[in-house]
Amino acid sequence: MGVLVLMIDKSRSRPVKFVIGVILFAYLSYFVAQGAIGIDLFDAGMSSLVRVHNNGFFDAIYKIISWIASPAKDIFWMVLLAFLMYGFKYKIQAFWSLVLLAGGDVLGTIVKHLVARARPIDHLASDTGYSYPSGHVLGTFLIVTVVIVLIVPELPTYRMAQIVKWVAIVWLLLVMIARVYMQAHYATDTIGAVLLGWVWVQIMAWVYQLYARHLLQWRLFYRSYL
């Protein structure tokens, strides 16, 4: 039977991770909503740093990254991962992954409307809605979490596992940079998305521990790995 490590297994540190994530996300959301000067200065500095090499080449690269990591594409990538996991008898994990993304999108939408932060002035017309947190980054973070926690441990070699793990992490960082470079989001929008995703993953890991074994009784998840 396949073994799921760290996030799915019981962890004494998970409550601590959850509390720290909630506190950091709450503080950041509060200061963003209040338009704190320190937040504005940080975002301005990060934007200048990211856009220091502003040219046509980077425009094209970051547009492609943003397109691949769009919320609609995130749904496609997660469904694809779930389909593959289900086919390899990781049925409960596949279902969990879909719920993880769906719930994360709902939470992100709720926070967007609660904070109601306007996007940067020079954002593209195609970037609509509120700015905080970044939907692109939130979805990407959840997909990367599934890859690292559910897929990487099952890869046949340590070398392959490390390559996939670090490629996933670098991809997340590139998406964060791309959204700031394209002026679709402030840097704190991307950080807020990561913190929200982190908190949601802790909650969903707890839910997995509580209900995974019960799902084995459902015909849909018959003979699934745990």
Side-chain angles (χ1 to χ4, degrees):
M1 181 173 291
V3 178
L4 299 177
V5 298
L6 297 179
M7 190 187 77
I8 303 301
D9 288 346
K10 291 183 178 180
S11 172
R12 293 182 178 180
S13 64
R14 181 161 296 115
V16 176
K17 295 176 182 178
F18 172 76
V19 171
I20 292 175
V22 169
I23 292 173
L24 291 177
F25 179 70
Y27 267 100
L28 179 61
S29 300
Y30 173 78
F31 288 124
V32 166
Q34 295 299 314
I37 295 177
I39 293 293
D40 291 340
L41 290 175
F42 176 80
D43 283 330
M46 292 301 296
S47 179
S48 298
L49 180 64
V50 168
R51 294 181 59 81
V52 67
H53 296 300
N54 183 18
N55 58 52
F57 173 77
F58 284 105
D59 287 351
I61 292 297
Y62 286 130
K63 281 182 180 179
I64 293 173
I65 291 174
S66 292
W67 180 79
I68 294 174
S70 67
K73 296 297 186 300
D74 287 338
I75 295 174
F76 171 78
W77 300 127
M78 191 66 94
V79 169
L80 178 60
L81 287 175
F83 176 79
L84 294 174
M85 285 189 286
Y86 194 91
F88 283 97
K89 294 186 178 181
Y90 291 90
K91 301 177 181 180
I92 294 175
Q93 295 85 341
F95 177 70
W96 183 87
S97 300
L98 294 175
V99 175
L100 179 73
L101 182 63
D105 286 344
V106 171
L107 284 176
T109 301
I110 292 173
V111 173
K112 277 180 180 288
H113 285 84
L114 287 176
V115 176
R117 187 187 203 184
R119 288 183 183 268
I121 296 175
D122 296 326
H123 72 89
L124 297 176
S126 57
D127 296 315
T128 59
Y130 293 121
S131 188
Y132 179 91
S134 167
H136 284 66
V137 175
L138 177 58
T140 300
F141 178 86
L142 298 177
I143 291 173
V144 167
T145 295
V146 169
V147 170
I148 292 177
V149 176
L150 299 180
I151 296 177
V152 166
E154 301 303 312
L155 294 177
T157 67
Y158 176 80
R159 182 182 179 85
M160 181 184 297
Q162 289 301 302
I163 291 174
V164 172
K165 174 184 175 180
W166 285 106
V167 166
I169 292 173
V170 169
W171 174 251
L172 173 61
L173 293 175
L174 285 175
V175 173
M176 295 174 72
I177 294 171
R179 300 310 287 159
V180 177
Y181 180 92
M182 299 302 297
Q183 296 180 291
H185 288 286
Y186 300 100
T188 45
D189 296 337
T190 66
I191 296 172
V194 169
L195 290 174
L196 179 60
W198 173 268
V199 171
W200 179 233
V201 166
Q202 305 312 313
I203 294 173
M204 285 298 294
W206 176 72
V207 171
Y208 187 96
Q209 294 165 15
L210 286 179
Y211 297 106
R213 293 188 181 277
H214 298 289
L215 291 178
L216 284 176
Q217 302 173 14
W218 296 20
R219 187 170 183 176
L220 181 64
F221 305 113
Y222 183 60
R223 290 185 178 178
S224 173
Y225 291 128
L226 279 176

